Amino acid sequence: MAITYPLTPPSPFNLSRLSFTGVSATSRNTSPFTLQTQQYNWPGQAWLGSVDCPPMKRADAEEIVAFLLKAQRGTFNFQDYANPFPRGTITGTLTVATATANGTTLTYSGTTNNTQFAVGDWLQISTSYYKVVQANGVGTVDLFPALRKSYAGGTAIVYGLASTGARAQGVFRLASPSTEWAIGEASIYGVGFAIIEDVES
């Protein structure tokens, strides 16, 4: 069977450390005379990440290694495995109401009982992975990164929901097209890798 992308990581995906970095395309000019700064904000924003897996026996490690070797030539789905569910009270089948490309404000519909997201919650629209940075009440939030598209009204919004197994996730690539692992005493494997978001066009 041919390898198809984006890949799905092995499940369960165990990790000992996960870090995310949000990056923005900006430039700054500082006057050498007044020290006043002018900043230019460009549309580009994305997620970077670093993943360390716990010490593993070969049976588990080979699944991760095989996944990473395949990932060198394509994309894969990934998420914040430490925080799969919202902090907020949000419930319902959510869809986009308004979303303008390069803006940060999303309005949505479909909540039940006026539930809402909280700061720090993850959500997914299309293949992009967003984090709530400002909760504006029922039906509206501000997000990082800025919205990648002017999503059509009715576009599905995915968020973590234990009852259905739904998880918000994004599409990523390996930061480097190489895979390294180490084998120590008692055949214990160590695996770590870095990721970068595959920005939706």
Side-chain angles (χ1 to χ4, degrees):
M1 181 184 298
I3 298 171
T4 57
Y5 299 94
L7 301 170
T8 298
S11 181
F13 192 86
N14 297 316
L15 46 84
S16 58
R17 184 176 182 275
L18 171 63
S19 67
F20 277 105
T21 302
V23 295
S24 298
T26 64
S27 60
R28 296 173 182 168
N29 287 331
T30 301
S31 168
F33 307 105
T34 66
L35 298 183
Q36 291 177 321
T37 298
Q38 185 173 15
Q39 179 161 310
Y40 303 90
N41 296 322
W42 308 105
Q45 292 184 311
W47 298 109
L48 308 178
S50 177
V51 182
D52 291 323
C53 297
M56 294 176 285
K57 288 290 192 178
R58 184 180 182 187
D60 293 326
E62 293 290 9
E63 294 293 328
I64 300 294
V65 170
F67 163 71
L68 294 174
L69 291 172
K70 291 183 290 185
Q72 291 179 10
R73 291 195 168 189
T75 58
F76 53 91
N77 295 315
F78 206 76
Q79 60 179 283
D80 181 354
Y81 286 91
N83 299 289
F85 303 117
R87 294 176 57 239
T89 59
I90 191 74
T91 58
T93 302
L94 306 186
T95 58
V96 171
T98 60
T100 303
N102 300 322
T104 62
T105 301
L106 167 73
T107 62
Y108 57 91
S109 57
T111 59
T112 56
N113 300 320
N114 291 325
T115 56
Q116 55 190 289
F117 286 109
V119 169
D121 289 344
W122 295 98
L123 59 90
Q124 174 189 346
I125 308 174
S126 185
T127 61
S128 289
Y129 197 38
Y130 296 105
K131 193 174 188 67
V132 175
V133 294
Q134 183 168 295
N136 303 321
V138 176
T140 178
V141 290
D142 280 275
L143 304 173
F144 182 95
L147 291 159
R148 302 275 168 68
K149 291 183 176 181
S150 295
Y151 298 104
T155 301
I157 299 172
V158 180
Y159 63 97
L161 195 59
S163 61
T164 64
R167 299 288 188 275
Q169 58 187 358
V171 177
F172 289 79
R173 296 180 183 273
L174 293 178
S176 173
S178 62
T179 301
E180 180 180 353
W181 64 96
I183 308 170
E185 293 183 9
S187 296
I188 299 297
Y189 283 63
V191 182
F193 56 98
I195 60 176
I196 184 169
E197 188 179 12
D198 186 56
V199 176
E200 180 182 11
S201 60

